[in-house]
Amino acid sequence: MAFSFKKWFLKKIGADTARVDAADVEMGEYIAALESVYLRELAFWTCVNKIANAISKCEFRTYQGRREVQKAEYYLWNVEPNRNQNAPTFLTKLIGQLYRNNEALVIESGGQLYVADDYQKQVFALYDYQFTGVTVDDFTFSKTFYQNEVLFFQLNSVDMRRLTNLMSEEYGKLYQYAAKAYQTSRGHRGTLHIDAMAQQQDNFSDKLNELLGTHFKKFFSSENAVLPLFDGYTYEELNQKTYNNESTRDIKALADDIYDYTARAFSFPPSLAKGDVQDTSKAIDELLTFCIDPLALIIQTEINRKRYGVAEYAKGNYIRIDTTRVKHIDIFDIAAPIDKLISSGAFTINDIRRLIHEPEIAEEWADQHFITKNYSTIQDLLESLSKEEQGEQVTDPQPEKKQIENTDTGGQEPPGEEGG
């Protein structure tokens, strides 16, 4: 079978090779596709890399009997999944594969986790999927992996990248047209008058070719130049070039459009994709709500159902991905809220220190709950008001500060499928 450069090239840039036959494409179309693919890839990987960086900041918190522990499974996901990758590198590769292919495969070998670079999938409606030819770096496994022994992640029911690629092909034409219009506006246009005497000379063709192919070319491409003209030749400029930013603004607007729809396809805030700094806090909240949290849920759920299973999950053994670490926290901005969280008894001091990414205090009191006298039950409050109306001496139903014993700092129910 003959090698088709066109099909190879279009496959590399993600175009639909089924739509075009090899004989129908000229080299100019290759060049046009090459000009637009860089911007499309830049927009795509800008979003994906930021998502991967956000996921790599998350903490994979592990629980046994509903108590948080930091043992082998914690180390595997947060420090070293395999001997060649640390956790951030591993997660970055996982997210990249997931967004590029709309699915990603993670296998376990020798107690270590690897993201597959390539594999063939066989789908069965009533039986486990089968994965063959699983390749990691330069090694291909000979065995067949089944669905119940791998982590298989699928991003969307529809491959959004294929849709954005198709749309990019149309925008690429507009982008090339705008770039060509800009080049044309900066070019030279004129007329060359040749009198009858010059045309009758024996070496007329040679002189004309030299003038057009050499002298005019250097004249137009040089910053400072002199154009030598033979007797009987007169050049006149047709238009006076006006330099403005309209064409460049059109090109930038088209580039911004590519960033916008690429980001929106993956629920990524377009302002973050383009690097805008206005309303960054709101954009990050949107990123967490509609992109990072759902993605973390996909990863978390697949880990729990494959590495723990229903029996272990029912015992309170599970993993939970903490996405609160994604957003940077300035402790001076949240000093007042921290005081309310502790004084209301909702969180312990160590709970707060974990949220602000500080080491926990190895003291018993740091894991206890405290509450101020400002909080009381409605029954105590009504009884106090009734005694005041009757003129009786009222004793404070709450001491100055109550200490509530913390029966279990990790005693929470396993997270539900809404987010854990």
Side-chain angles (χ1 to χ4, degrees):
M1 182 177 179
F3 173 73
S4 171
F5 172 76
K6 190 234 55 162
K7 289 186 177 180
W8 172 85
F9 175 74
L10 292 181
K11 182 178 180 181
K12 296 296 285 185
I13 65 175
D16 189 356
T17 57
R19 297 187 307 139
V20 187
D21 185 75
D24 297 331
V25 179
E26 301 294 335
M27 183 56 67
E29 296 185 50
Y30 293 116
I31 299 174
L34 192 60
E35 290 174 348
S36 61
V37 72
Y38 294 124
L39 183 60
R40 184 191 75 193
E41 290 295 296
L42 179 62
F44 174 78
W45 287 109
T46 296
C47 297
V48 172
N49 287 337
K50 288 186 177 182
I51 294 172
N53 291 338
I55 291 294
S56 66
K57 290 184 64 178
C58 298
E59 181 183 14
F60 286 63
R61 302 172 68 172
T62 54
Y63 295 83
Q64 287 184 359
R66 298 182 177 85
R67 294 174 181 243
E68 186 171 1
V69 296
Q70 295 183 358
K71 296 182 179 179
E73 189 73 9
Y74 180 91
Y75 182 84
L76 192 69
W77 289 102
N78 293 280
V79 182
E80 186 184 24
N82 61 69
R83 60 173 56 89
N84 294 318
Q85 292 178 310
N86 56 35
T89 305
F90 172 87
L91 291 172
T92 299
K93 181 178 179 180
L94 171 62
I95 300 304
Q97 291 282 71
L98 186 58
Y99 276 86
R100 180 170 57 185
N101 304 319
N102 199 45
E103 61 184 39
L105 178 68
V106 175
I107 62 169
E108 182 178 2
S109 178
Q112 301 186 76
L113 301 176
Y114 299 94
V115 179
D117 293 296
D118 192 22
Y119 57 88
Q120 289 77 48
K121 178 182 65 176
Q122 290 182 285
V123 177
F124 302 96
L126 303 179
Y127 302 96
D128 283 359
Y129 290 179
Q130 296 181 10
F131 303 90
T132 57
V134 177
T135 301
V136 177
D137 294 335
D138 60 347
F139 180 78
T140 300
F141 291 87
S142 58
K143 67 170 292 187
T144 297
F145 291 88
Y146 293 87
Q147 175 73 284
N148 63 353
E149 58 184 358
V150 300
L151 298 176
F152 181 66
F153 306 97
Q154 187 171 6
L155 187 61
N156 297 300
S157 57
V158 177
D159 189 348
M160 297 300 294
R161 195 191 183 198
R162 176 174 290 273
L163 297 179
T164 58
N165 285 351
L166 293 174
M167 191 170 183
S168 293
E169 291 180 15
E170 300 304 318
Y171 256 86
K173 297 174 184 177
L174 296 176
Y175 187 84
Q176 294 160 36
Y177 181 82
K180 186 176 181 180
Y182 174 75
Q183 290 177 333
T184 302
S185 69
R186 298 278 174 157
H188 294 266
R189 291 177 179 271
T191 59
L192 179 64
H193 300 276
I194 306 174
D195 63 22
M197 294 294 294
Q199 297 181 39
Q200 294 176 2
Q201 296 178 1
D202 295 338
N203 57 350
F204 169 72
S205 297
D206 295 336
K207 284 187 177 181
L208 182 61
N209 290 335
E210 182 183 5
L211 180 63
L212 297 177
T214 303
H215 300 301
F216 268 99
K217 184 177 181 180
K218 290 183 179 180
F219 177 71
F220 290 145
S221 61
S222 301
E223 182 177 353
N224 300 297
V226 175
L227 177 66
L229 290 177
F230 305 106
D231 291 339
Y233 294 81
T234 305
Y235 173 74
E236 294 182 2
E237 190 84 22
L238 282 180
N239 59 327
Q240 185 70 30
K241 295 187 294 296
T242 57
Y243 299 103
N244 55 63
N245 295 324
E246 292 297 329
S247 297
T248 56
R249 280 199 292 266
D250 291 341
I251 295 174
K252 184 180 184 302
L254 287 171
D256 287 344
D257 285 346
I258 293 177
Y259 271 88
D260 282 347
Y261 71 70
T262 300
R264 294 182 190 280
F266 299 105
S267 302
F268 192 93
S271 60
L272 292 182
K274 293 182 291 187
D276 296 341
V277 296
Q278 293 83 4
D279 295 327
T280 302
S281 180
K282 293 182 179 179
I284 293 177
D285 289 340
E286 181 181 348
L287 173 68
L288 287 169
T289 303
F290 299 107
C291 182
I292 302 301
D293 284 345
L295 179 59
L297 180 60
I298 292 174
I299 298 173
Q300 169 185 299
T301 305
E302 181 70 0
I303 295 173
N304 282 329
R305 81 185 191 99
K306 294 290 184 61
R307 296 185 65 83
Y308 290 93
V310 61
E312 293 297 316
Y313 192 82
K315 296 177 183 177
N317 302 333
Y318 55 88
I319 197 168
R320 183 169 70 87
I321 301 178
D322 184 5
T323 60
T324 60
R325 290 177 172 265
V326 173
K327 193 173 183 178
H328 174 73
I329 298 177
D330 189 332
I331 60 174
F332 296 103
D333 291 339
I334 62 171
I338 285 177
D339 178 66
K340 294 295 292 182
L341 291 172
I342 295 176
S343 63
S344 65
F347 289 85
T348 68
I349 293 176
N350 274 340
D351 290 337
I352 297 298
R353 292 183 67 84
R354 176 187 284 273
L355 289 174
I356 61 176
H357 319 318
E358 292 293 330
E360 298 182 11
I361 300 174
E363 297 290 343
E364 184 180 352
W365 55 265
D367 290 316
Q368 295 174 339
H369 291 265
F370 298 93
I371 189 168
T372 65
K373 68 177 183 179
N374 298 325
Y375 295 90
S376 61
T377 65
I378 189 65
Q379 291 83 359
D380 290 339
L381 181 60
L382 292 175
E383 182 179 348
S384 175
L385 292 174
S386 176
K387 290 182 178 181
E388 286 181 354
E389 292 175 355
Q390 297 175 6
E392 299 181 13
Q393 185 177 0
V394 179
T395 58
D396 193 343
Q398 299 283 343
E400 181 63 23
K401 180 174 286 188
K402 282 187 176 181
Q403 176 176 306
I404 303 176
E405 291 296 335
N406 179 26
T407 58
D408 183 2
T409 57
Q412 52 184 308
E413 292 295 324
E417 292 303 307
E418 280 75 24

